Amino acid sequence: GAVVSQHPSRVICKSGTSVKIECRSLDFQATTMFWYRQFPKKSLMLMATSNEGSKATYEQGVEKDKFLINHASLTLSTLTVTSAHPEDSSFYICSATTTVNYGYTFGSGTRLTVV
Amino acid sequence: GDSVTQMEGPVTLSEEAFLTINCTYTATGYPSLFWYVQYPGEGLQLLLKATKADDKGSNKGFEATYRKETTSFHLEKGSVQVSDSAVYFCALSGDSGYALNFGKGTSLLVTP
């Protein structure tokens, strides 16, 4: 079945540094990638939608200059949290879908802790 | 806009009890409906889905029927196990290529 590999699973970084999270679709071409943020004991909040080769579409209230999304190929999308601050600490999850046999496959998530 | 409402948790059940987690939705058109499960510290796993009215999704003993007349997609399992303890999310999608719209999640704890 469709698999999305997300790395790293956990990362701790210092305030002011940047962190990159990668999501790779291993056995299918992901035409669209979604990035979510999940706060403790809360639902998933959609941050942005990215289509291969085009700029990401950000949801209202999400800072595009802080959360840089790149979807340069059909198998890789990255989320870079720039100048991270403690309030950016959260669980980030990617999801991929394909128009061939549409379904949503989720990565295993990244626990980001900014200290 | 589209939205999903699911019952608040936490839900605590004894092993072998019957489980129902209610989910209702509001949507234009004909959405697809999903149930996802999230174990602690992990991402989401698709549990089951239904793409049209009256479809029943089922997996691992869980079932949900897409009821257009009541705009519902309630999750049921006849006999829960301790290993079913997790957070369950109801979600809908309006169209291929659109992000899933999630409910707030229902935490389930099954005790021996």
Side-chain angles (χ1 to χ4, degrees), chain B residues 13-79:
Chain B
L13 294 173
S14 298
E15 204 165 22
E16 300 184 359
F18 185 86
L19 168 71
T20 299
I21 300 178
N22 290 336
C23 172
T24 57
Y25 68 90
T26 302
T28 55
Y30 304 96
S32 293
L33 301 172
F34 305 80
W35 276 100
Y36 282 86
V37 59
Q38 184 179 34
Y39 297 99
E42 298 184 10
L44 273 69
Q45 300 175 25
L46 177 64
L47 184 59
L48 53 85
K49 69 178 182 182
T51 57
K52 62 182 187 298
D54 299 326
D55 269 1
K56 175 186 280 188
S58 61
N59 185 27
K60 299 180 181 179
F62 291 90
E63 293 183 339
T65 301
Y66 188 160
R67 302 283 188 201
K68 192 171 188 298
E69 63 277 14
T70 55
T71 61
S72 64
F73 193 54
H74 304 322
L75 181 68
E76 296 182 336
K77 186 174 185 182
S79 176

Side-chain angles (χ1 to χ4, degrees), chain A residues 95-107:
Chain A
S95 174
T97 186
T98 173
T99 56
V100 175
N101 179 18
Y102 108 90
Y104 299 84
T105 303
F106 285 81

Side-chain angles (χ1 to χ4, degrees), chain A residues 34 36 38 43 102 104 106 108, chain B residues 32 38 43 93 96 98-100 103:
Chain A
F34 306 100
Y36 295 86
Q38 185 179 30
S43 189
Y102 108 90
Y104 299 84
F106 285 81
S108 55
Chain B
S32 293
Q38 184 179 34
S93 172
S96 171
Y98 285 82
L100 289 172

